[in-house]
Amino acid sequence: MTSMISYSTEVQQAIEGKKPIVALESTIISHGMPYPQNVETARMVEQIIRDNGAVPATIAIMDGKIKIGLSEEELELLGNSPGVSKVSRRDIGQLIATKKIGATTVAATMICAELAGIRVFATGGIGGVHRGAETTMDISADLEELSNTGVAVVCAGAKSILDIGLTLEYLETKGVPVIGFQTDEMPAFYTRSSGFDLTFRSDDSAELAKVLKAKWDLGIKGGAVIANPIPAEHALEESFINGIIAQAMAEANDNGISGKEVTPFLLGKVKELTEGKSLVANIELVKHNAKVGAQLAAAYNQL
């Protein structure tokens, strides 16, 4: 197995020095933002993690290997190459065998992070139960992964294009803790509130680290969602973004968009309809999650 995993020099040194490490996904680079903002944001997020006492490990699949940590050249390649595959659990073996470039989703990043012994992962938002899933059965593999893989995912909640209520119900059924970081309510990606209250709240990373350690020390499998709202000054107005999402979803239905193409289409359409405001919000929430993720990883590393 180790022959299929490759570590960057920075990450390898962090492992050897027992330093805190934060995993980062790469789908946000290849499919979540346009070039060059995607690469610029990736570099910025990595630096925020360093500035907050941890080491970033952006994960992708290249040259038949799982890359834990990317070089400047690899980040550029990922952000500016056509036809980069979006990789979830089902795709990992195929991408390694065919030596194609693959950007990892939340689910695949969790798998790779756990293989590398990384417990904390910062991203934008998790996938979830899509609106209309009662007829389409369109449910993100992220949720199943959270029930199986021992990695804490720091995010701004579920993407607001999803059915957040059903997403929370699914996570509860699967026994996945959803912990509000300095909030009592599930954030909704672009907005700080969704109308859905959370059972657990934690106000500092030291306490949060202890909660995670207790869970994993007891051998309770699976990860946790650390729901970290977008900073208030960057949040979009709720009625505005909800109207935009409804319009984007109607266009997706009219165009027959389905499966794993739904999320990139909707995010792209939302960016277009908000005249770029959603992209700015997306970048800011990812930066905030990176900061909280680094602080959590540092706190967990001290236990």
Side-chain angles (χ1 to χ4, degrees):
M1 183 180 71
T2 53
S3 65
M4 291 184 279
I5 302 177
S6 171
Y7 299 91
S8 69
T9 302
E10 184 182 22
V11 172
Q12 184 65 49
Q13 289 174 347
I15 292 170
E16 292 168 359
K18 294 184 168 48
K19 294 179 181 175
I21 303 171
V22 178
L24 297 167
E25 62 156 296
S26 46
T27 297
I28 199 169
I29 303 170
S30 62
H31 293 76
M33 295 179 190
Y35 183 83
Q37 288 104 320
N38 55 359
V39 176
E40 291 166 0
T41 301
R43 290 184 177 129
M44 199 183 320
V45 166
E46 288 194 342
Q47 192 55 49
I48 288 168
I49 288 171
R50 294 184 188 102
D51 292 343
N52 284 275
V55 173
T58 301
I59 295 173
I61 296 178
M62 293 178 170
D63 305 318
K65 292 182 184 293
I66 294 170
K67 297 272 190 174
I68 310 291
L70 300 180
S71 67
E72 289 282 322
E73 294 75 20
E74 287 167 338
L75 272 179
E76 193 73 29
L77 182 66
L78 193 69
N80 200 22
S81 294
V84 174
S85 297
K86 187 178 177 183
V87 181
S88 193
R89 170 179 277 270
R90 68 178 184 180
D91 312 300
I92 295 172
Q94 181 183 354
L95 267 290
I96 288 174
T98 57
K99 297 188 176 181
K100 293 180 180 175
I101 299 177
T104 53
T105 60
V106 168
T109 304
M110 288 183 73
I111 293 168
C112 298
E114 188 174 57
L115 288 171
I118 301 171
R119 285 294 201 181
V120 178
F121 161 32
T123 186
I126 58 168
V129 179
H130 282 258
R131 301 183 193 194
E134 60 273 17
T135 54
T136 64
M137 290 298 290
D138 193 353
I139 300 172
S140 170
D142 296 354
L143 302 188
E144 196 68 28
E145 210 58 56
L146 278 158
S147 72
N148 286 309
T149 304
V151 174
V153 181
V154 181
C155 61
K159 296 182 178 76
S160 46
I161 56 177
L162 304 169
D163 188 318
I164 293 175
L166 289 184
T167 297
L168 287 170
E169 290 287 353
Y170 192 106
L171 289 169
E172 181 184 17
T173 299
K174 292 292 184 178
V176 178
V178 181
I179 305 169
F181 188 69
Q182 301 177 354
T183 183
D184 294 307
E185 192 176 342
M186 182 69 163
F189 202 64
Y190 300 119
T191 61
R192 292 178 60 82
S193 61
S194 64
F196 294 96
D197 292 335
L198 295 175
T199 310
F200 303 112
R201 171 183 176 136
S202 184
D203 286 328
D204 69 86
S205 48
E207 179 188 65
L208 199 48
K210 289 175 185 174
V211 171
L212 295 171
K213 189 172 191 308
K215 167 185 162 68
W216 290 326
D217 281 357
L218 286 166
I220 301 173
K221 75 170 187 173
V225 175
I226 313 304
N228 180 42
I230 181 173
E233 63 271 25
H234 300 297
L236 298 183
E237 205 276 317
E238 206 166 332
S239 60
F240 166 72
I241 193 63
N242 286 342
I244 294 288
I245 288 168
Q247 186 178 341
M249 291 191 66
E251 289 194 35
N253 289 333
D254 291 345
N255 288 304
I257 307 292
S258 62
K260 65 181 182 180
E261 302 306 321
V262 171
T263 298
F265 175 85
L266 290 177
L267 292 177
K269 185 57 65 174
V270 167
K271 173 180 173 284
E272 175 191 322
L273 295 173
T274 61
E275 297 177 339
K277 293 186 183 73
S278 66
L279 177 60
V280 174
N282 195 348
I283 291 170
E284 292 301 329
L285 67 85
V286 170
K287 286 162 59 178
H288 190 224
N289 292 338
K291 180 179 179 180
V292 171
Q295 293 168 346
L296 174 58
Y300 188 84
N301 199 54
Q302 292 173 354
L303 297 178

